Amino acid sequence: MTALIEFTDVGRMFEADPPVHALRGVTLRIDRGEYVAVTGPSGSGKSTLLGLLGLLDRPTSGTYRFAGAETTTLAERDRAALRAGSFGFVFQAFHLLPYRSTEENVMLAEVYRPKGRPAPPRRGRRERALAALERVGLGHRAGFRPDRLSGGERQRVAIARALLGDPDLLLCDEPTGNLDGENTQVVLDVLEELNGQGLTLLVITHDEAVAERAGRRIRIADGRVVAGGPEPVDNPSPVDHQFAGDRPQWP
Amino acid sequence: MAMIEKGVPPSRFGRAVARRSGTGTRISRSDLVDESLSAVLARPMRAALTALGTVLGIATLVVTIGIAATAGNRIVGRFDELTATAVSITPETTRASPDDPPLIGWDAPERITRLNGAVAAVALAESQPGQTPPVQANDIKDPSAVTARTLGVVAATVDLPATVHGRVVAGRFYDAGNVARRDRVAVLGEEAARLLGVTRLEDGPAVFIGGEPFTVVGVIGDLKREQALAASVIVPPTAAADRLGMRQVTRVVVDTRLGAAQLIARQAPTALAPGHTDGLRVLAPPNLERARGAVEDDVNGMFLVLGLLCLVVGAVGIANVTLVGVMQRIGEIGLRRALGASRRHIAAQFLVESAVLGLLGGVVGATAGMVTVVGVCVAKDWTPVLDLGLVFAAPLAGVAVGLLAGAYPAWRAARLEPLEALRAT
Ligand SMILES: Nc1ncnc2c1ncn2[C@@H]1O[C@H](COP(=O)(O)OP(=O)(O)OP(=O)(O)O)[C@@H](O)[C@H]1O
Ligand SMILES: [Mg+2]
């Protein structure tokens, strides 16, 4: 297995009074093709971790190698290129543009392209977006406005958008946080299927049922990894690293 | 452990390398326009209201500049067009001997109307004060009867009604045939007709000028210039020469096109008496251009300031709405950054959006302004002067207003950190 993500002793401190250490000393490795769930109590630093992983934010300490290349020294423009070319994002709030149809929302993923690579032709973008909607089982919802869709359908549109850029890694922050049980199952089925096709997945969740579907579970608390890190286990089936009592930092 | 400061600028060298190797992300121009247009068109009513200030500003400017260009001379025309279009030429010196050929001949109207800018001209021979032949309604020497001691006698070519903008109120004006046949006919000025008691022309009344009978063929009134003719008896030059000894042209009156008076005043002497222009005195209206220009500049200046003020209000409106839009779309900004948009791309999007609003205001405002100018021209019977430069400059001015207004909101949008923006919902 080749390492996609290598975090070494990463910390993220926010300037405040007193300073907030949202993450500290996080060492983590995620391989290609993994399906990782990140759990932890509210305020433990999960979203902060996702921001760092997706190059939406910079760590204040430590190093982050993505696909073998150091990212912490990259200029903002190159980080933007990596975001456009290598990451797909799915958020709890969907972040769909209300004034655009479903396939137009998906097509947005091809608007900003990395300079170095040949950009996919503008012609055919709609067809590619429709194909991405098919992949998440929403071919029949093309042309709909997001406000006419159910929550689960909206999140699948967001997943289709994340897929259009053909990312190396799909980062999901509470993808089922706004969904009921039935919609959650549909979204999780889609994610599992994508992972089956070889896509590397990292899902942040509060929900143990969601975390159980992942191949590896990382638990963080108070800005530290308390279980599941730093290395992938040899057998990437759901393992129970449940808090072995080694870090009794939460009740 | 390497400490990385957040937002450390890369070294100059690193930046230069990054530029050269073409890293970063790009957005095609058509995508940028698409993204901005669809954001504006998503809320058409809001876009229309936002552009309203710019519409008013551009329309005011177009109307002010358009009317100023069209009206030009017309404003003065309303008040003293008749003065501004009258030129008269008088032979200054009477010839040494009456046998010398006169300076101005009776063909003066033909010579003058050949000039570009002359509308009509009439040659007159006016009786000298004190030498005016007495005019009477009949040949009976009745001291109690009204004798028109004040009536003038004028020999005039047939162009007189056209030149003085007079109206023949009864009968007709004598024509070229009367002149050629040396007919003894006369046309009375309205006032003269009243004084002489001539009310009906059916039975061919006669007036006696210096004892010579002339048949009255018409009455002329409503004189817009040369009002003294209203109290005169007007006779053809041939009969006047035969019977009254009035042979020499004493004055030529020219009706010019508006704005051509100065030109005619300069050219008329040569046309009338080539080689003897020194002997002619020309009376032209004062050149009103300068005085009028000052007044117009004041009025136009006021409207221009008003228009610019509207534009400023329009710009503030666009800036305000765009800023509100940025605040409402923070999540969208975060998403675009996550999809690979750079700060520059975000700024460009909001700049183009506000430029589109400005362009909308410019196009609608210019159209409204043009329609107003044409409407005013139709109502006033003017020829509209539509400056093509203005037609194209107005929408460009709208775009400039939009870009200016969008600068601050675009900067605010670009400054947002992607993670912060995504956090806001
Ligand atoms: N910009 C910031 N400035 C100061 N503190 C911050 C900032 N962003 C996050 N934090 C703090 O960092 C900690 C971790 O936040 P984070 O959003 O990562 O938590 P989380 O695990 O995602 O929580 P939740 O499950 O509620 O989403 C929190 O205590 C939060 O208050
Ligand atoms: Mg969170």
Side-chain angles (χ1 to χ4, degrees), chain A residues 14-16 20 22 40-49 173-174 204 206 220, chain B residues 420 423:
Chain A
F14 291 105
E15 304 283 0
V20 179
S42 186
S44 56
K46 304 183 295 295
S47 294
T48 304
L49 176 67
D173 193 347
E174 305 275 10
I204 287 173
H206 266 114
I220 62 175
Chain B
E420 273 173 48
R423 221 182 267 273

PDB file of all heavy atoms in Angstrom, chain A residues 14-16 20 22 40-49 173-174 204 206 220, chain B residues 420 423, ligand 1:
ATOM      1  N   PHE A  14      -4.999  28.187  17.343  1.00  0.00           N
ATOM      2  CA  PHE A  14      -5.678  29.421  16.950  1.00  0.00           C
ATOM      3  C   PHE A  14      -5.302  30.524  17.907  1.00  0.00           C
ATOM      4  O   PHE A  14      -5.335  30.331  19.125  1.00  0.00           O
ATOM      5  CB  PHE A  14      -7.202  29.226  16.951  1.00  0.00           C
ATOM      6  CG  PHE A  14      -7.684  28.318  15.848  1.00  0.00           C
ATOM      7  CD1 PHE A  14      -8.088  27.018  16.129  1.00  0.00           C
ATOM      8  CD2 PHE A  14      -7.731  28.766  14.531  1.00  0.00           C
ATOM      9  CE1 PHE A  14      -8.532  26.188  15.111  1.00  0.00           C
ATOM     10  CE2 PHE A  14      -8.168  27.935  13.513  1.00  0.00           C
ATOM     11  CZ  PHE A  14      -8.571  26.645  13.798  1.00  0.00           C
ATOM     12  N   GLU A  15      -4.958  31.673  17.328  1.00  0.00           N
ATOM     13  CA  GLU A  15      -4.655  32.842  18.160  1.00  0.00           C
ATOM     14  C   GLU A  15      -5.931  33.265  18.859  1.00  0.00           C
ATOM     15  O   GLU A  15      -6.908  33.607  18.210  1.00  0.00           O
ATOM     16  CB  GLU A  15      -4.150  34.005  17.285  1.00  0.00           C
ATOM     17  CG  GLU A  15      -2.961  33.682  16.423  1.00  0.00           C
ATOM     18  CD  GLU A  15      -1.654  33.666  17.209  1.00  0.00           C
ATOM     19  OE1 GLU A  15      -1.702  33.922  18.435  1.00  0.00           O
ATOM     20  OE2 GLU A  15      -0.609  33.384  16.607  1.00  0.00           O
ATOM     21  N   ALA A  16      -5.928  33.185  20.150  1.00  0.00           N
ATOM     22  CA  ALA A  16      -7.072  33.652  20.938  1.00  0.00           C
ATOM     23  C   ALA A  16      -6.539  33.892  22.340  1.00  0.00           C
ATOM     24  O   ALA A  16      -5.350  33.716  22.585  1.00  0.00           O
ATOM     25  CB  ALA A  16      -8.192  32.618  20.930  1.00  0.00           C
ATOM     26  N   VAL A  20      -6.074  28.631  21.471  1.00  0.00           N
ATOM     27  CA  VAL A  20      -6.787  27.360  21.376  1.00  0.00           C
ATOM     28  C   VAL A  20      -5.919  26.365  20.609  1.00  0.00           C
ATOM     29  O   VAL A  20      -5.553  26.603  19.463  1.00  0.00           O
ATOM     30  CB  VAL A  20      -8.139  27.546  20.647  1.00  0.00           C
ATOM     31  CG1 VAL A  20      -8.854  26.205  20.550  1.00  0.00           C
ATOM     32  CG2 VAL A  20      -8.996  28.572  21.361  1.00  0.00           C
ATOM     33  N   ALA A  22      -6.363  23.497  18.839  1.00  0.00           N
ATOM     34  CA  ALA A  22      -7.416  22.655  18.279  1.00  0.00           C
ATOM     35  C   ALA A  22      -6.879  21.268  17.940  1.00  0.00           C
ATOM     36  O   ALA A  22      -7.602  20.280  18.017  1.00  0.00           O
ATOM     37  CB  ALA A  22      -8.009  23.314  17.042  1.00  0.00           C
ATOM     38  N   GLY A  40     -15.248  11.549  17.353  1.00  0.00           N
ATOM     39  CA  GLY A  40     -14.779  12.271  18.530  1.00  0.00           C
ATOM     40  C   GLY A  40     -15.839  13.236  18.983  1.00  0.00           C
ATOM     41  O   GLY A  40     -16.728  13.603  18.208  1.00  0.00           O
ATOM     42  N   PRO A  41     -15.773  13.652  20.229  1.00  0.00           N
ATOM     43  CA  PRO A  41     -16.801  14.569  20.746  1.00  0.00           C
ATOM     44  C   PRO A  41     -16.735  15.933  20.061  1.00  0.00           C
ATOM     45  O   PRO A  41     -15.753  16.267  19.414  1.00  0.00           O
ATOM     46  CB  PRO A  41     -16.463  14.676  22.236  1.00  0.00           C
ATOM     47  CG  PRO A  41     -15.054  14.237  22.356  1.00  0.00           C
ATOM     48  CD  PRO A  41     -14.779  13.285  21.243  1.00  0.00           C
ATOM     49  N   SER A  42     -17.800  16.661  20.224  1.00  0.00           N
ATOM     50  CA  SER A  42     -17.878  17.989  19.631  1.00  0.00           C
ATOM     51  C   SER A  42     -16.749  18.871  20.165  1.00  0.00           C
ATOM     52  O   SER A  42     -16.440  18.837  21.356  1.00  0.00           O
ATOM     53  CB  SER A  42     -19.240  18.613  19.964  1.00  0.00           C
ATOM     54  OG  SER A  42     -19.378  19.827  19.291  1.00  0.00           O
ATOM     55  N   GLY A  43     -16.118  19.603  19.269  1.00  0.00           N
ATOM     56  CA  GLY A  43     -15.042  20.501  19.672  1.00  0.00           C
ATOM     57  C   GLY A  43     -13.715  19.805  19.831  1.00  0.00           C
ATOM     58  O   GLY A  43     -12.732  20.418  20.262  1.00  0.00           O
ATOM     59  N   SER A  44     -13.646  18.510  19.447  1.00  0.00           N
ATOM     60  CA  SER A  44     -12.400  17.771  19.648  1.00  0.00           C
ATOM     61  C   SER A  44     -11.372  18.063  18.559  1.00  0.00           C
ATOM     62  O   SER A  44     -10.206  17.692  18.692  1.00  0.00           O
ATOM     63  CB  SER A  44     -12.698  16.270  19.698  1.00  0.00           C
ATOM     64  OG  SER A  44     -13.385  15.878  18.524  1.00  0.00           O
ATOM     65  N   GLY A  45     -11.794  18.698  17.456  1.00  0.00           N
ATOM     66  CA  GLY A  45     -10.841  19.062  16.415  1.00  0.00           C
ATOM     67  C   GLY A  45     -11.005  18.312  15.112  1.00  0.00           C
ATOM     68  O   GLY A  45     -10.125  18.357  14.249  1.00  0.00           O
ATOM     69  N   LYS A  46     -12.169  17.666  14.912  1.00  0.00           N
ATOM     70  CA  LYS A  46     -12.370  16.869  13.700  1.00  0.00           C
ATOM     71  C   LYS A  46     -12.401  17.741  12.451  1.00  0.00           C
ATOM     72  O   LYS A  46     -11.731  17.451  11.453  1.00  0.00           O
ATOM     73  CB  LYS A  46     -13.687  16.080  13.802  1.00  0.00           C
ATOM     74  CG  LYS A  46     -13.781  15.183  15.019  1.00  0.00           C
ATOM     75  CD  LYS A  46     -15.064  14.372  15.022  1.00  0.00           C
ATOM     76  CE  LYS A  46     -16.318  15.214  15.144  1.00  0.00           C
ATOM     77  NZ  LYS A  46     -16.426  15.914  16.435  1.00  0.00           N
ATOM     78  N   SER A  47     -13.173  18.829  12.518  1.00  0.00           N
ATOM     79  CA  SER A  47     -13.272  19.696  11.345  1.00  0.00           C
ATOM     80  C   SER A  47     -11.947  20.401  11.077  1.00  0.00           C
ATOM     81  O   SER A  47     -11.577  20.639   9.925  1.00  0.00           O
ATOM     82  CB  SER A  47     -14.380  20.727  11.543  1.00  0.00           C
ATOM     83  OG  SER A  47     -15.631  20.080  11.596  1.00  0.00           O
ATOM     84  N   THR A  48     -11.243  20.709  12.142  1.00  0.00           N
ATOM     85  CA  THR A  48      -9.923  21.312  11.987  1.00  0.00           C
ATOM     86  C   THR A  48      -9.003  20.355  11.236  1.00  0.00           C
ATOM     87  O   THR A  48      -8.272  20.748  10.317  1.00  0.00           O
ATOM     88  CB  THR A  48      -9.333  21.640  13.377  1.00  0.00           C
ATOM     89  OG1 THR A  48     -10.259  22.479  14.066  1.00  0.00           O
ATOM     90  CG2 THR A  48      -7.992  22.331  13.250  1.00  0.00           C
ATOM     91  N   LEU A  49      -9.078  19.062  11.602  1.00  0.00           N
ATOM     92  CA  LEU A  49      -8.264  18.043  10.935  1.00  0.00           C
ATOM     93  C   LEU A  49      -8.607  17.957   9.447  1.00  0.00           C
ATOM     94  O   LEU A  49      -7.720  17.916   8.589  1.00  0.00           O
ATOM     95  CB  LEU A  49      -8.494  16.686  11.618  1.00  0.00           C
ATOM     96  CG  LEU A  49      -7.790  15.491  10.967  1.00  0.00           C
ATOM     97  CD1 LEU A  49      -6.282  15.631  11.115  1.00  0.00           C
ATOM     98  CD2 LEU A  49      -8.268  14.167  11.582  1.00  0.00           C
ATOM     99  N   ASP A 173     -17.222  15.876   5.805  1.00  0.00           N
ATOM    100  CA  ASP A 173     -17.404  16.354   7.174  1.00  0.00           C
ATOM    101  C   ASP A 173     -18.875  16.215   7.544  1.00  0.00           C
ATOM    102  O   ASP A 173     -19.709  16.962   7.050  1.00  0.00           O
ATOM    103  CB  ASP A 173     -16.951  17.820   7.284  1.00  0.00           C
ATOM    104  CG  ASP A 173     -16.813  18.252   8.746  1.00  0.00           C
ATOM    105  OD1 ASP A 173     -17.290  17.506   9.628  1.00  0.00           O
ATOM    106  OD2 ASP A 173     -16.225  19.322   8.984  1.00  0.00           O
ATOM    107  N   GLU A 174     -19.174  15.240   8.390  1.00  0.00           N
ATOM    108  CA  GLU A 174     -20.549  14.973   8.816  1.00  0.00           C
ATOM    109  C   GLU A 174     -21.493  14.871   7.612  1.00  0.00           C
ATOM    110  O   GLU A 174     -22.491  15.587   7.542  1.00  0.00           O
ATOM    111  CB  GLU A 174     -21.045  16.099   9.744  1.00  0.00           C
ATOM    112  CG  GLU A 174     -20.171  16.347  10.944  1.00  0.00           C
ATOM    113  CD  GLU A 174     -20.494  15.422  12.129  1.00  0.00           C
ATOM    114  OE1 GLU A 174     -21.274  14.461  11.918  1.00  0.00           O
ATOM    115  OE2 GLU A 174     -19.967  15.659  13.220  1.00  0.00           O
ATOM    116  N   ILE A 204     -15.858  12.169   8.510  1.00  0.00           N
ATOM    117  CA  ILE A 204     -15.981  12.617   9.892  1.00  0.00           C
ATOM    118  C   ILE A 204     -17.420  12.400  10.321  1.00  0.00           C
ATOM    119  O   ILE A 204     -18.350  12.716   9.566  1.00  0.00           O
ATOM    120  CB  ILE A 204     -15.614  14.111  10.010  1.00  0.00           C
ATOM    121  CG1 ILE A 204     -14.103  14.288   9.876  1.00  0.00           C
ATOM    122  CG2 ILE A 204     -16.119  14.686  11.325  1.00  0.00           C
ATOM    123  CD1 ILE A 204     -13.671  15.720   9.816  1.00  0.00           C
ATOM    124  N   HIS A 206     -20.314  11.889  13.879  1.00  0.00           N
ATOM    125  CA  HIS A 206     -20.690  11.727  15.274  1.00  0.00           C
ATOM    126  C   HIS A 206     -21.294  10.349  15.502  1.00  0.00           C
ATOM    127  O   HIS A 206     -21.381   9.866  16.611  1.00  0.00           O
ATOM    128  CB  HIS A 206     -21.803  12.747  15.620  1.00  0.00           C
ATOM    129  CG  HIS A 206     -21.297  14.007  16.195  1.00  0.00           C
ATOM    130  ND1 HIS A 206     -21.400  15.203  15.546  1.00  0.00           N
ATOM    131  CD2 HIS A 206     -20.691  14.273  17.372  1.00  0.00           C
ATOM    132  CE1 HIS A 206     -20.875  16.145  16.296  1.00  0.00           C
ATOM    133  NE2 HIS A 206     -20.436  15.605  17.413  1.00  0.00           N
ATOM    134  N   ILE A 220     -10.534  10.946  17.869  1.00  0.00           N
ATOM    135  CA  ILE A 220      -9.747  12.037  18.441  1.00  0.00           C
ATOM    136  C   ILE A 220     -10.520  12.680  19.576  1.00  0.00           C
ATOM    137  O   ILE A 220     -11.753  12.674  19.601  1.00  0.00           O
ATOM    138  CB  ILE A 220      -9.333  13.108  17.402  1.00  0.00           C
ATOM    139  CG1 ILE A 220     -10.535  13.793  16.780  1.00  0.00           C
ATOM    140  CG2 ILE A 220      -8.451  12.513  16.330  1.00  0.00           C
ATOM    141  CD1 ILE A 220     -10.110  14.920  15.859  1.00  0.00           C
TER     142      ILE A 220
ATOM    143  N   GLU B 420     -12.960  29.320   7.199  1.00  0.00           N
ATOM    144  CA  GLU B 420     -13.910  30.206   7.876  1.00  0.00           C
ATOM    145  C   GLU B 420     -15.176  30.340   7.056  1.00  0.00           C
ATOM    146  O   GLU B 420     -16.290  30.321   7.583  1.00  0.00           O
ATOM    147  CB  GLU B 420     -13.308  31.616   8.000  1.00  0.00           C
ATOM    148  CG  GLU B 420     -12.460  31.855   9.228  1.00  0.00           C
ATOM    149  CD  GLU B 420     -11.792  33.218   9.140  1.00  0.00           C
ATOM    150  OE1 GLU B 420     -12.496  34.196   8.836  1.00  0.00           O
ATOM    151  OE2 GLU B 420     -10.566  33.286   9.331  1.00  0.00           O
ATOM    152  N   ARG B 423     -17.381  27.358   7.213  1.00  0.00           N
ATOM    153  CA  ARG B 423     -18.007  27.204   8.515  1.00  0.00           C
ATOM    154  C   ARG B 423     -19.325  27.979   8.571  1.00  0.00           C
ATOM    155  O   ARG B 423     -20.283  27.538   9.182  1.00  0.00           O
ATOM    156  CB  ARG B 423     -17.062  27.747   9.584  1.00  0.00           C
ATOM    157  CG  ARG B 423     -16.989  26.912  10.817  1.00  0.00           C
ATOM    158  CD  ARG B 423     -16.056  27.597  11.790  1.00  0.00           C
ATOM    159  NE  ARG B 423     -14.693  27.120  11.678  1.00  0.00           N
ATOM    160  CZ  ARG B 423     -14.242  26.059  12.335  1.00  0.00           C
ATOM    161  NH1 ARG B 423     -15.035  25.379  13.104  1.00  0.00           N
ATOM    162  NH2 ARG B 423     -12.995  25.687  12.214  1.00  0.00           N
TER     163      ARG B 423
HETATM  164  N1  LIG C   1     -10.959  30.074  14.031  1.00  0.00           N
HETATM  165  C1  LIG C   1     -10.945  29.591  15.289  1.00  0.00           C
HETATM  166  N2  LIG C   1     -10.546  30.381  16.297  1.00  0.00           N
HETATM  167  C2  LIG C   1     -10.519  29.911  17.557  1.00  0.00           C
HETATM  168  N3  LIG C   1     -10.878  28.692  17.885  1.00  0.00           N
HETATM  169  C3  LIG C   1     -11.296  27.841  16.933  1.00  0.00           C
HETATM  170  C4  LIG C   1     -11.341  28.254  15.578  1.00  0.00           C
HETATM  171  N4  LIG C   1     -11.794  27.222  14.839  1.00  0.00           N
HETATM  172  C5  LIG C   1     -12.007  26.209  15.677  1.00  0.00           C
HETATM  173  N5  LIG C   1     -11.704  26.566  16.944  1.00  0.00           N
HETATM  174  C6  LIG C   1     -11.783  25.710  18.129  1.00  0.00           C
HETATM  175  O1  LIG C   1     -11.082  24.544  17.875  1.00  0.00           O
HETATM  176  C7  LIG C   1     -11.731  23.449  18.475  1.00  0.00           C
HETATM  177  C8  LIG C   1     -11.970  22.361  17.452  1.00  0.00           C
HETATM  178  O2  LIG C   1     -12.960  22.791  16.544  1.00  0.00           O
HETATM  179  P1  LIG C   1     -13.553  21.835  15.426  1.00  0.00           P
HETATM  180  O3  LIG C   1     -14.494  22.613  14.593  1.00  0.00           O
HETATM  181  O4  LIG C   1     -12.426  21.175  14.737  1.00  0.00           O
HETATM  182  O5  LIG C   1     -14.366  20.764  16.279  1.00  0.00           O
HETATM  183  P2  LIG C   1     -15.178  19.505  15.787  1.00  0.00           P
HETATM  184  O6  LIG C   1     -14.546  18.309  16.348  1.00  0.00           O
HETATM  185  O7  LIG C   1     -15.360  19.550  14.309  1.00  0.00           O
HETATM  186  O8  LIG C   1     -16.567  19.742  16.491  1.00  0.00           O
HETATM  187  P3  LIG C   1     -18.019  19.394  15.971  1.00  0.00           P
HETATM  188  O9  LIG C   1     -18.179  17.913  16.118  1.00  0.00           O
HETATM  189  O10 LIG C   1     -18.918  20.145  16.873  1.00  0.00           O
HETATM  190  O11 LIG C   1     -18.099  19.847  14.568  1.00  0.00           O
HETATM  191  C9  LIG C   1     -13.007  23.981  19.086  1.00  0.00           C
HETATM  192  O12 LIG C   1     -12.784  24.161  20.483  1.00  0.00           O
HETATM  193  C10 LIG C   1     -13.203  25.310  18.419  1.00  0.00           C
HETATM  194  O13 LIG C   1     -13.828  26.198  19.305  1.00  0.00           O
END
